[in-house]
Each structure stands twice: as C-alpha cells, then as structure tokens.
Amino acid sequence: MNTIAPPHSETAVIDLSEVIAIKNLRTTIGRANVPIVDGINLSIKRGKTLGIVGESGCGKSMLSLSVMGLVPPICRIEGSINLTGQDLVGLSDGQMRRIRGKRIAMIFQEPMTSLNPVLTVGFQIVEAMRAHDSYSTAKSLRERAIRALEQVRMPAAERRFDEYPHQLSGGMRQRAAIAMALCCKPEVLIADEPTTALDVTVQAEILDLLRDLQAETQMAIILISHDLGVVAQMADEVAVMYAGRIVEHASCTSLFEDPQHPYTIGLLGSIPRMDIEEKELLSIDGNVPLLTSMPNGCRFHPRCVFSDIKCARERPVLQGINENHFVACIHSPIEETSK
Ligand SMILES: Nc1ncnc2c1ncn2[C@@H]1O[C@H](COP(=O)(O)OP(=O)(O)OP(=O)(O)O)[C@@H](O)[C@H]1O
Ligand SMILES: [Mg+2]
C-alpha cells in the first residue's frame, strides 16, 4: 500500500520522489485577507493520484488555482508550492507561464473553459505546444498534435484536428482538453471535476483514459471531485477539505474503510449504499460556513453531532492515527458504535 509521506509539519524532510509538495498554503482574498485556503499541507509522488473531496465552497478549486498561479488578482498566496525543487509561490506571471502547461497542467469540469470556441482543436493544441517549443516546424507540431489526439483516443483524430470545439461531443471535447493539457508531458495534472459534466459511460471512458495516460507518463494527478465513487476508483490517497482546511488525509483504502472525521463520516453517509438496506440517506445538516463568518475552533463544530465546548475553542491539528491516516478532530477516534 502507498504510504502517505506528507506530513503535516513544517519540519518534514523533503522526499525526493515527491513531484509536488505544498506547505502551509494560505490563499486570502481582498484587503481584509479573508482566507479561502487556510494552511494546506499536501504532497504527491510520481505516478500517484491524490483525490480531494469536500462540499461545494470548501475551497477545492481555489486550492488548484493557487497551485496553477491562476487566482484572481485580489487574492494573495502565502506558503510554498515546491515543484521538484522550485517554489512556485512568488514567481512572476512570466515565470509561471513557462511552468503552466509545461510542468503542471489543468483540466476543468467544462472543457470549454480551456478550449477557445473560435479556433480549431488542432490549432489550439499546436499553440499550447508552441508556447514551450519555439524550434519545431509547423509540420512536426501538427504531427505531434495529431498523435496527442490519438493518444487520448479521439475518434478520427486527423479529421478532428481541423474541426472546431462545437463540432465535437462533450466527451470528445474533454478528450481534446486532455490532449491539450498533456501535450507538453506535464509532471502534474490537476483535474477539477473532470467528468462531472459527462454522462456515466463517457465519464468511465475518460477516467480509464486518465489512468492509462498516467501509467504511461507517470504524471502525478490531483483529482478534485465531489463524487466519492470516482475518487474511490482513482485515488491512491484522499484529502477531505472543509472550509479551506484539510480535516482528514488518508490512503484511499483507509479513508473509505475507516473514516475518522465526523465530516468524512457524514460525506460517506451521504452516498447511496447498495449493500445495506437503508431507506433514508444520512446527510450532514447545515451548510459550509461563509468566508466572512468562519467559526472559531474546529470549523465543522456547528454542524457536528459530536461537538462540545472544546471544539468551539481549539483548532484541531491533523494527527496521525497511523502512517497512512491523519485526522483533525479532538474526538478521534470516535467510538465505532457512534459512527
Ligand atoms: N473569484 C472569487 N471571488 C470571491 N470569492 C470567491 C471567488 N472564487 C471563489 N470564491 C469563494 O471561495 C470559496 C471556495 O470556493 P471554491 O470555488 O474553491 O470551492 P469548491 O470547493 O471548488 O466548490 P465547488 O465544489 O462548488 O466547485 C467559496 O466561499 C467561494 O465563494
Ligand atoms: Mg470547484
């Protein structure tokens, strides 16, 4: 089983097999420096997939945009994002442009976020390659772009090269976006809800494709999804985010078999289970707090059935229950009978 290396301390030794190591990442917004991402520590090794889950508004996309250097100008980023020895925090736009696409790439829920509707698919892939390669000829870039489309199993790749995004189906557009993201062979791919907009069959095909491409290239994948089934299938380890913080981080098996944080337990309770006769789905009452009114102590405590006065006062830190499993809850371990 994959052992989680990250450790949630500033003194953790850098592991050389880590492609990316995020330390104390804090992204704030506006003059009041309201934190959207608040003290995140994560790392990923080559060829591995880290799933990030959490309800809408927990800061998952802001975390990925922070890593990509694509946050709105009113945001400020602190901490470090170490990409094989280079800290991305504090790089200029120009320096970040040289890294984006080449070393880290991103795909989005809606492929049209990355595709331009008025340019052909082929032209866009060629331009993505040209941004990091000013030496290759137009002919060789075209050939490489067609190969990139073939690699993502685009049907009739050569013909699609000259087509516009609107001529493609949703699944084909996502394949084109993946081809564009991967054409420069990035070390890290961030996939933010990559299959949410697709129907189930196409979703399975795209996930298969990502797995195969990862096996070929050994890229590390950060997979953001509200779909726990997708994460369970794809991830080696999973971080659960709540209100800008990580509340639980574990190997995939350990997280799904033995969830520790009441929030994770609630999230897992919210998935329909085929194996038990349960008419009513468990769900978590209440909503993710607003950025401007974050509760003190554990941010989940107002919604937590286990909370007490200490939870409102103390900020829980992630602590290891074993080398594969970390949880930020002062009540952990919660008795088996209460789960
Ligand atoms: N451009 C922005 N300006 C102001 N606030 C923002 C901006 N983008 C996001 N936020 C706020 O930051 C918080 C985190 O948003 P984010 O989009 O990262 O959540 P998410 O976990 O990706 O949610 P979802 O599952 O819906 O995609 C939310 O409270 C959101 O309102
Ligand atoms: Mg999002």
Side-chain angles (χ1 to χ4, degrees), residues 60-61 192-193:
K60 306 180 297 293
S61 293
D192 191 348
E193 304 275 4

Side-chain angles (χ1 to χ4, degrees), residues 67-78:
V67 175
M68 292 295 287
L70 289 174
V71 293
I74 44 165
C75 290
R76 246 184 67 183
I77 299 180
E78 292 162 29

Side-chain angles (χ1 to χ4, degrees), residues 246-249 261-262 298 316-319 326-332:
I246 290 173
V247 296
E248 187 158 5
H249 183 176
H261 197 284
C298 170
V317 290
L318 276 168
Q319 284 184 325
F326 298 81
V327 61
C329 173
I330 59 170
H331 292 296
S332 171

Side-chain angles (χ1 to χ4, degrees), residues 29 36 54-63 72 74 192-193 291:
I29 191 162
I36 299 183
E55 285 166 294
S56 187
C58 279
K60 306 180 297 293
S61 293
M62 224 17 140
L63 170 63
I74 44 165
D192 191 348
E193 304 275 4
L291 288 178

Side-chain angles (χ1 to χ4, degrees), residues 73-92:
I74 44 165
C75 290
R76 246 184 67 183
I77 299 180
E78 292 162 29
S80 71
I81 302 169
N82 195 300
L83 180 66
T84 49
Q86 182 175 26
D87 191 356
L88 306 185
V89 174
L91 292 189
S92 67

